[in-house]
Amino acid sequence: LFDGVCNLCSGSVAVVLKLDREGVIRFTPIQSPYGRQLALAHGLDPDNPTSFLFLDHGQALAKTAAIGALLRRLGPPWRWLAFVDRLPRGPADKAYDWIAANRYRLMGKRDVCRVPSPAERARFILEPPKP
């Protein structure tokens, strides 16, 4: 779950799309109806998100825990960087919070969400999975 109008967030999605050679990671913009639903279900304000969420085996992770879990899903050498979630949580999450709070000022903001290319389309979930 990512902020689809944030250039930093959308750029990070583009990088993960390239690095995730097996195509196991899926994305949902928080601005989509399903993204809003997920955000609210996991205590994240969809109108002012303070983190992206990474759902790992049904567990919603945020901040440095989310970064670590995401990196573990990528191949080497990227998964080796997953130690980020082993750093002292207080200072690491405080740095994450500062970047998140300043992401629009640092990297800018789009008027509309990133539109996936036809090749990327299957990697984006815009509706809840059907039971």
Side-chain angles (χ1 to χ4, degrees):
L1 182 62
F2 71 102
D3 182 350
V5 297
C6 168
N7 287 335
L8 175 62
C9 306
S10 293
S12 297
V13 166
V15 169
V16 173
L17 281 165
K18 288 180 181 164
L19 297 179
D20 179 20
R21 292 184 193 101
E22 295 178 19
V24 297
I25 299 172
R26 302 284 186 266
F27 306 91
T28 301
I30 201 165
Q31 289 79 9
S32 71
Y34 183 47
R36 290 185 68 82
Q37 178 185 340
L38 281 173
L40 291 169
H42 295 288
L44 189 62
D45 179 354
D47 297 316
N48 187 24
T50 55
S51 178
F52 80 102
L53 289 181
F54 188 76
L55 298 176
D56 190 28
H57 303 289
Q59 181 181 11
L61 303 171
K63 302 182 184 186
T64 52
I67 293 171
L70 185 146
L71 288 167
R72 278 189 187 79
R73 297 293 179 110
L74 301 175
W78 310 107
R79 77 170 41 133
W80 301 333
L81 298 174
F83 72 85
V84 70
D85 67 353
R86 304 287 188 239
L87 296 173
R89 189 59 47 105
D93 279 350
K94 189 169 230 158
Y96 183 101
D97 289 341
W98 185 87
I99 293 168
N102 292 286
R103 68 189 182 277
Y104 297 144
R105 186 174 57 79
L106 295 169
M107 300 294 288
K109 182 178 179 180
R110 302 167 182 237
D111 292 329
V112 296
C113 287
R114 175 189 193 283
V115 177
S117 71
E120 298 168 341
R121 184 73 176 105
R123 305 282 302 279
F124 286 77
I125 303 169
L126 302 176
E127 299 177 356
K130 302 214 185 315

